[in-house]
Amino acid sequence: MTVWDRPEPPTRPVPLDRERIVAAAVALADEGGLESVSLRKVAARLNAGPMRLYGFIATKEELFDLMVDEVQAEILPEEQPGDWREALSVLAHRTRQTALRHEWLADLLGGRPTLGPNGLAVTEATLAALDGLADIDTVMRAVETVSAYFTGAIRREVANLRAERATGLSERDWQRAHGPHVTRMLATGRFPSLSKAVHDGTDTDPETSFATGLDWILDAVATRLNRPPA
Amino acid sequence: MTVWDRPEPPTRPVPLDRERIVAAAVALADEGGLESVSLRKVAARLNAGPMRLYGFIATKEELFDLMVDEVQAEILPEEQPGDWREALSVLAHRTRQTALRHEWLADLLGGRPTLGPNGLAVTEATLAALDGLADIDTVMRAVETVSAYFTGAIRREVANLRAERATGLSERDWQRAHGPHVTRMLATGRFPSLSKAVHDGTDTDPETSFATGLDWILDAVATRLNRPPA
DNA sequence: TCTCATGGCGATACAGCGTATTGTTCCGCT
DNA sequence: AGCGGAACAATACGCTGTATCGCCATGAGA
């Protein structure tokens, strides 16, 4: 019985690990959004049956948690910059960029506490930026305020982006884009300030808008630091 | 053939309308969260088949939009208060309270543009509070910043609330509550600032935390107003 | 070297989902 | 009186997350 007679041993299935699973899930989400991530499709990408995944995750939500943690690795900058303000600003902007690269992240951002290694690292980096510049409680308030801001801002930005994509491609022209409905509503005269804003407002690009709001908030933070611990 | 002989006409089904549909959906969501809102269950509450709903909505997402707009009615205060700062503050706090009454709102907040009548009314009220106090673009930046903040803050608050509920009921004790995982991670020494924060930080109640961050931001807004139009 | 237990894995199954399609039934108009 | 059309119900399809079960390859022990 030579080698040639013996059949190859039945190919043991490619071993799986969380890394590969999460990578597949992220790829799917990048291509078709969160809702096109199904355990079946993820498994299929790895030539496995759906049930195989349950050795590594207990629930679909857990997979989402892993996905979030995975892309949070992209948030941390290579090197921490010098002053607290730049550090926070960089973290915020990198979070935004990550969310624009993985739009589904916007759906998950802030939805659950991020306790994974990368999530903790991001939190650590944020806290570290302000470490020693004020009492702990002030620091925490600052961190929470800043991150609440960019969570919300990113979410809205992505939401608007999708809405624009859905109605056609007009970036300008709220009115014509969002269909006659808004136009009609504004015409009722019940929303004078809104009408004025829509009519006269300059169309600021999202990035500057994001940066401006962030700057305001960092200003506010600045005034609470440095102030001696009373 | 008297009335008594004639059988009652076959009970025509109770007429449906969006209001009743949305009310049923909101009730369902209040009881069991967003994920327990299914078209079948909503319809069942109204003694109807699932397909009946499609006369009033085209898609489940539309139902969600209607639900959001419905509860946004709870945000508008009875009377607009005097100064811009209080107006914005009240709107933010009322949004928060609404989200605490309807936790599922946190899942939807900021997820899609709110173009319904109540949504527009809320936007109008927000813009109106600042109307005339600065050039339009500054006003818009302010509105967006403030609402990005409270969107994010509310989301996180609800997320934490759920996490606490899930792990048991300990409000304090991050560590023991979130299980050994966080404890172990902190013990690695890779997150010094975070450890310090968890260890030494006072446990601020969510409402004050929310209010404080909001105040900071309103301070920041204040410094951009009043400043004469250059 | 043979045997048996073990544990990973695939298949199957189930209940539920959103929605398309297809009947059916009744109302109001001509 | 009869008919057109709309409102409504039933059925069906493809998909979902997950529980369960039975198999079979592998490694340990005799």
Side-chain angles (χ1 to χ4, degrees), chain B residues 20-116:
Chain B
R20 282 167 46 78
I21 293 177
V22 172
V26 167
L28 234 34
D30 284 345
E31 292 163 19
L34 251 205
E35 76 221 21
S36 70
V37 176
S38 85
L39 296 188
R40 288 169 148 89
K41 286 197 276 213
V42 171
R45 289 228 168 182
L46 305 164
N47 298 97
M51 285 306 113
R52 266 259 323 274
L53 303 184
Y54 281 86
F56 304 86
I57 55 172
T59 206
K60 194 187 184 181
E61 286 240 294
E62 286 192 1
L63 175 58
F64 284 164
D65 289 344
L66 291 177
M67 290 171 63
V68 170
D69 199 69
E70 165 84 9
V71 298
Q72 271 184 311
E74 300 177 27
I75 293 174
L76 291 167
E78 313 73 28
E79 51 182 271
Q80 279 303 27
D83 99 297
W84 67 269
R85 185 160 183 142
E86 196 189 338
L88 288 191
S89 176
V90 166
L91 283 169
H93 275 101
R94 290 184 70 102
T95 305
R96 174 169 173 272
Q97 282 151 7
T98 303
L100 292 180
R101 262 193 305 274
H102 309 284
E103 277 182 28
W104 50 269
L105 182 57
D107 301 320
L108 266 18
L109 254 190
R112 308 176 111 237
T114 59
L115 267 18

Side-chain angles (χ1 to χ4, degrees), chain A residues 216, chain B residues 84-85 142 216-227:
Chain A
W216 291 19
Chain B
W84 67 269
R85 185 160 183 142
W216 292 17
I217 291 180
L218 292 180
D219 282 353
V221 170
T223 71
R224 321 282 156 160
L225 305 181
N226 306 337
R227 160 186 302 182

Side-chain angles (χ1 to χ4, degrees), chain B residues 181-213:
Chain B
H181 168 240
V182 174
T183 316
R184 213 176 333 113
M185 281 309 229
L186 293 185
T188 65
R190 284 162 49 205
F191 310 99
S193 305
L194 182 54
S195 307
K196 206 167 14 148
V198 169
H199 205 269
D200 303 347
T202 321
D203 224 36
T204 319
D205 86 297
E207 162 120 36
T208 4
S209 163
F210 181 83
T212 309

Side-chain angles (χ1 to χ4, degrees), chain B residues 146-180:
Chain B
V146 171
S147 65
Y149 166 73
F150 67 67
T151 299
I154 290 171
R155 247 182 154 246
R156 186 195 27 233
E157 181 173 341
V158 170
N160 289 338
L161 212 116
R162 285 177 179 150
E164 275 163 18
R165 253 200 302 260
T167 57
L169 22 86
S170 101
E171 169 118 15
R172 184 116 195 50
D173 297 81
W174 242 50
Q175 313 201 28
R176 231 158 301 173
H178 286 335

